[in-house]
Amino acid sequence: MRLTINIDHVATIREARGGVEPDPVTAAAICELAGADGIVCHLREDRRHINDRDVRLLRETIKTKLDLEMAATEEIIGIAIETLPELVTLVPEKRQELTTEGGLDVRGNKNYMRDVIEEFHKHDIEVSLFVDPIAEQIGAAHEIGSDMIEIHTGEFANARTENEQRELLEVVRKAAQLGKELGLVVNAGHGLNYANITLFRSIGEIDEVSIGHAVISRAVFVGIERAVQEMRRLVQ
Ligand code: PXP
C-alpha cells in the first residue's frame, strides 16, 4: 500500500494567524524525505487553508506526486489545468462543512463528470473520484472513464464498537474488490489513523491510502518526519 500525506492542516495552523508559518510547502518536503509516496492538498473554494500560492509552489517542489483534491467547479478546474498535478481527486464540497463529509454522487452527475474527466485527460492528468463504498457509485465511476476511485473510509473510522468496525471494514473491502474487478486503481481515505490502519491494511485491494489529520496531529508532538515514518511502517 502506498501512503500519501494530506498537508492541509499545516496550512490551517498558518491561517489561524494569517501569517507565513508553518509553511505547508516545507511540510511537504519533509513528508517526502520521511517516505511519503505523494502529497495531497485540497484547494477549497473559500481558501480556508491551502491557497493558490501553495499549490503553485507545491507543484514546483514536489518530487513524488501531487494529488490536488478539489471540487469540480469551473474556477478550480482552470487552476488544476494550469498547475498540472499528476492526479486530481474530485470531492463534493460544502461551504459549512468542517471536512469532506462523504462521497460524490457520480451516478446522478454522469454527464458532467464524464466531461470533466475528459478535460483532465486531454492534459494528461489522472482522475480519482472520491466515492462512498457503494457499488452503483463505483460502477458509475468506471463507466464514465475515471482512472481511480478513492473510497471514503469515514464510516469505518467512526465505528463505535469492534463489531461495527469489522462490519464496515467488510463494506470497504467489497467496494475495493469491485473497483479492482472493474480495472480501477483503488485508493482510500478519511479518518484513517495509527490505531485503525492495522485492521485496514488487511484489504489487499487498496493501492494507496491518503492520511492527513492523524499524521499532522501526531507531528505536533513528535515532529512530521517521525509521524510520517511511523505511519509508513504501519501501512507497509
Ligand atoms: N481523502 C479525502 C478525499 C479527504 O477529503 C480527506 C480530508 O481532507 C482525506 C482523504 C484525509 O482525511 P484525514 O484528514 O481524516 O486523514
Side-chain angles (χ1 to χ4, degrees):
M1 242 181 224
R2 293 188 301 271
L3 168 67
T4 60
I5 301 292
N6 180 315
I7 53 165
D8 293 349
H9 279 7
V10 177
T12 299
I13 299 173
R14 176 189 62 193
E15 295 309 309
R17 285 290 167 93
V20 294
E21 64 181 11
D23 193 334
V25 180
T26 310
I30 300 172
C31 290
E32 287 190 314
L33 290 172
D37 297 300
I39 302 296
V40 187
C41 68
H42 185 173
L43 184 67
R44 281 182 169 267
E45 183 197 11
D46 62 10
R47 309 298 198 271
R48 68 170 74 155
H49 38 55
I50 294 292
N51 61 34
D52 302 54
R53 166 266 184 202
D54 299 334
V55 172
R56 220 171 32 247
L57 290 184
L58 287 167
R59 172 61 302 172
E60 278 186 33
T61 54
I62 283 173
K63 291 155 194 79
T64 52
K65 170 178 88 167
L66 172 61
D67 174 0
L68 182 63
E69 193 183 316
M70 53 175 280
T73 62
E74 206 178 309
E75 184 211 5
I76 307 289
I77 291 170
I79 292 171
I81 286 171
E82 267 176 40
T83 306
L84 297 178
E86 279 79 13
L87 171 66
V88 292
T89 298
L90 303 182
V91 298
E93 194 175 295
K94 295 190 205 127
R95 268 193 172 246
Q96 305 307 326
E97 69 191 357
L98 288 177
T99 180
T100 312
E101 287 170 348
L104 290 163
D105 180 12
V106 184
R107 204 168 165 225
N109 295 284
K110 277 199 264 187
N111 289 341
Y112 180 69
M113 304 285 296
R114 185 186 279 115
D115 289 349
V116 171
I117 291 171
E118 276 174 13
E119 187 61 27
F120 280 126
H121 282 172
K122 274 189 214 154
H123 295 86
D124 291 328
I125 300 170
E126 289 196 295
V127 181
S128 177
L129 301 182
F130 186 56
V131 291
D132 291 317
I134 296 173
E136 290 74 17
Q137 297 294 353
I138 295 167
H142 170 252
E143 198 187 318
I144 62 171
S146 189
D147 306 286
M148 301 176 204
I149 49 169
E150 180 179 329
I151 300 175
H152 178 223
T153 52
E155 301 259 312
F156 161 77
N158 288 335
R160 275 167 304 180
T161 64
E162 229 171 85
N163 272 352
E164 196 188 355
Q165 194 186 36
R166 287 196 176 274
E167 274 169 30
L168 291 165
L169 181 77
E170 292 316 309
V171 172
V172 177
R173 191 191 306 278
K174 280 210 183 81
Q177 284 167 347
L178 173 61
K180 280 281 139 196
E181 278 162 29
L182 294 172
L184 293 162
V185 174
V186 179
N187 301 338
H190 217 280
L192 296 176
N193 60 34
Y194 293 83
N196 62 27
I197 194 70
T198 50
L199 189 59
F200 192 78
R201 68 186 175 194
S202 71
I203 308 182
E205 289 80 3
I206 304 279
D207 293 295
E208 184 173 291
V209 285
S210 160
I211 306 182
H213 185 84
V215 171
I216 304 303
S217 300
R218 182 167 292 212
V220 171
F221 301 112
V222 306
I224 298 193
E225 188 180 12
R226 187 167 140 196
V228 173
Q229 285 167 346
E230 287 177 6
M231 186 56 85
R232 171 83 273 170
R233 271 195 292 278
L234 290 174
V235 165
Q236 275 166 346

